[in-house]
């Protein structure tokens, strides 16, 4: 199965990562219009263009082909996306119900392991598993070397770090977060995932009452999210920042924070809104009106 949109998003991400315009990428290879259509998922490049794109974007040809040739697992991708949202919203009972139903089916080991991950985390947060039991299960998943996607090991390490945070073992947790954030991977999905890691690390500093570290990590997370055009955790960053600053700054600055958060929600959930909310949000970031 070919996924042109997924492939186009990857080409667009890698091009921007290399600091190239569409014209620069197309130079003496094809037209800028073709690159635009490829990135929009409207057309597929021929093998000769695909090969040249891999050279110019400095990635293996096989990596681009894997993005293009998509296994028939769209059902599981959508389901795991839903499970991620349920985990984010702390809907643990629903996660357990879904996982129990799915684990009765025949499936590939890598898919089964991902369901087991969600099931294990839900059990822990519902206090049906101890921290020790949960850490053991997650560590065994890492040792199995069977992963749903290529950065799944990082996801599991982040899960482990969050368990340590929940248990008050902040130093151990921070070392896990730092290892993940230090990794450099030419992958859109992994770099979007790093926004969550920044938030989890900032939240850990906050729980430890290390407010300066919290604000520094929030700033890095916000900048990373802006660079990635990934807004999933942006409102969480600003909510956490407001919690840190509410007893230390004046009302005007609180207003600026609230306004920035409001603009984020508008840009996320009102894409056809005619107001200048997204523009105002960017102005807040660039002018550093919201500061530590």
């Amino acid at each position: 199965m070919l996924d042109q949109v997924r492939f186009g998003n990857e080409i667009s991400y890698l091009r921007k990562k290399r600091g190239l315009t569409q014209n620069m990428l197309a130079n003496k290879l094809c037209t800028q219009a073709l690159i635009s259509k490829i990135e929009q998922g409207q057309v597929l490049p021929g093998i000769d263009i695909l090969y040249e794109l891999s050279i110019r974007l400095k990635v293996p040809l096989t990596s681009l082909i894997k993005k293009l040739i998509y296994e028939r697992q769209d059902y599981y991708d959508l389901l795991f996306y839903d499970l991620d949202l349920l985990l984010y919203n702390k809907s643990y009972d629903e996660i357990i119900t879904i996982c129990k139903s799915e684990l009765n089916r025949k499936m590939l080991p890598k898919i089964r392991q991902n369901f087991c991950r969600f099931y294990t985390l839900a059990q822990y947060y519902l206090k049906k598993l101890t921290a020790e039991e949960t850490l053991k299960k997650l560590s065994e998943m890492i040792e199995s070397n069977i992963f749903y996607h290529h950065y799944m090991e990082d996801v599991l390490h982040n899960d482990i770090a969050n368990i340590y945070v929940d248990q008050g073992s902040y130093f151990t947790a921070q070392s896990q977060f730092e290892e993940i954030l230090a990794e450099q991977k030419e992958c859109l999905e992994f770099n979007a995932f790093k926004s969550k890691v920044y938030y989890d690390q900032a939240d850990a500093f906050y729980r430890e009452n290390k407010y300066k570290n919290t604000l520094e990590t929030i700033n890095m997370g916000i900048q990373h999210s802006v660079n990635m055009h990934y807004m999933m955790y942006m409102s969480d960053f600003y909510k956490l920042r407001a919690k840190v600053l509410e007893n230390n700054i004046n009302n005007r600055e609180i207003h600026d924070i609230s306004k920035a958060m409001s603009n984020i929600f508008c840009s996320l959930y009102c894409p056809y809104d005619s107001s200048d909310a997204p523009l105002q949000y960017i102005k807040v970031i660039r002018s550093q009106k919201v500061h530590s």
Side-chain angles (χ1 to χ4, degrees):
M1 180 179 180
L2 301 181
D3 192 328
Q4 295 179 206
V5 173
R6 182 170 180 255
F7 176 76
N9 287 339
E10 187 70 10
I11 294 296
S12 176
Y13 166 70
L14 292 171
R15 174 178 61 76
K16 293 173 183 176
K17 185 80 172 178
R18 300 302 179 199
L20 301 173
T21 64
Q22 290 183 344
N23 278 322
M24 292 167 67
L25 184 58
N27 185 37
K28 296 182 180 180
L29 175 64
C30 60
T31 64
Q32 178 273 329
L34 179 59
I35 296 296
S36 178
K37 288 181 179 180
I38 290 172
E39 292 187 357
Q40 293 176 44
Q42 296 179 0
V43 298
L44 293 174
I47 189 63
D48 53 338
I49 293 179
L50 185 64
Y51 175 72
E52 186 63 29
L53 287 175
S54 72
I55 295 175
R56 297 186 182 193
L57 296 172
K58 300 180 181 179
V59 292
L61 176 61
T62 53
S63 175
L64 292 183
I65 292 175
K66 285 180 180 179
K67 290 292 180 182
L68 179 58
I69 302 175
Y70 196 33
E71 294 180 9
R72 185 70 183 179
Q73 58 184 37
D74 46 335
Y75 166 78
Y76 289 115
D77 283 341
L78 290 172
L79 185 52
F80 288 142
Y81 176 78
D82 288 340
L83 286 170
D84 269 325
L85 290 179
L86 290 172
L87 190 62
Y88 176 82
N89 291 316
K90 302 181 180 180
S91 302
Y92 305 127
D93 285 319
E94 192 170 351
I95 291 174
I96 286 180
T97 299
I98 293 172
C99 290
K100 278 185 175 180
S101 174
E102 292 295 330
L103 286 169
N104 287 325
R105 305 172 186 266
K106 290 184 177 180
M107 60 186 69
L108 293 173
K110 65 179 183 179
I111 296 174
R112 179 171 296 277
Q113 190 204 66
N114 208 21
F115 278 118
C116 288
R117 169 190 169 248
F118 283 108
Y119 186 74
T120 298
L121 292 173
Q123 283 189 309
Y124 169 73
Y125 289 115
L126 288 173
K127 302 188 184 305
K128 294 181 179 181
L129 282 178
T130 66
E132 291 74 18
E133 291 170 329
T134 306
L135 290 170
K136 181 180 179 182
K137 286 178 178 290
L138 294 174
S139 296
E140 288 173 349
M141 291 179 196
I142 293 174
E143 291 170 5
S144 73
N145 204 34
I146 299 173
F147 303 126
Y148 183 67
H149 49 65
H150 67 280
Y151 64 95
M152 192 68 210
E153 184 175 358
D154 299 294
V155 173
L156 289 165
H157 277 297
N158 194 64
D159 292 335
I160 288 172
N162 283 321
I163 302 297
Y164 280 124
V165 170
D166 199 49
Q167 295 298 308
S169 300
Y170 299 112
F171 180 80
T172 304
Q174 291 295 353
S175 65
Q176 298 258 2
F177 290 136
E178 288 297 332
E179 286 184 19
I180 299 170
L181 293 172
E183 288 194 54
Q184 300 294 323
K185 295 181 180 179
E186 298 293 340
C187 170
L188 180 63
E189 293 90 346
F190 172 73
N191 283 289
F193 163 70
K194 284 175 79 170
S195 291
K196 170 175 167 51
V197 182
Y198 274 115
Y199 174 76
D200 290 341
Q201 184 183 48
D203 185 58
F205 279 131
Y206 178 76
R207 294 192 191 192
E208 199 178 359
N209 298 322
K210 291 185 175 180
Y211 301 129
K212 181 179 179 181
N213 296 99
T214 304
L215 293 173
E216 289 174 350
T217 306
I218 288 172
N219 288 340
M220 289 188 288
I222 289 173
Q223 188 58 59
H224 178 79
S225 297
V226 170
N227 291 342
M228 289 299 303
H229 306 288
Y230 184 71
M231 301 292 110
M232 176 71 178
Y233 289 91
M234 194 66 84
S235 62
D236 297 288
F237 282 129
Y238 275 98
K239 286 178 184 177
L240 184 57
R241 170 176 262 183
K243 286 168 66 176
V244 175
L245 298 178
E246 61 185 350
N247 297 320
N248 299 296
I249 60 177
N250 60 46
N251 291 334
R252 177 59 189 173
E253 288 171 314
I254 285 287
H255 170 76
D256 287 341
I257 292 173
S258 299
K259 183 177 180 181
M261 289 175 60
S262 175
N263 289 337
I264 293 167
F265 280 118
C266 183
S267 64
L268 281 173
Y269 300 110
C270 304
Y272 301 108
D273 183 79
S274 59
S275 72
D276 63 346
L279 178 60
Q280 290 302 317
Y281 158 62
I282 295 297
K283 286 182 179 179
V284 171
I285 295 289
R286 290 181 175 173
S287 64
Q288 297 184 341
K289 288 172 67 178
V290 180
H291 57 80
S292 57

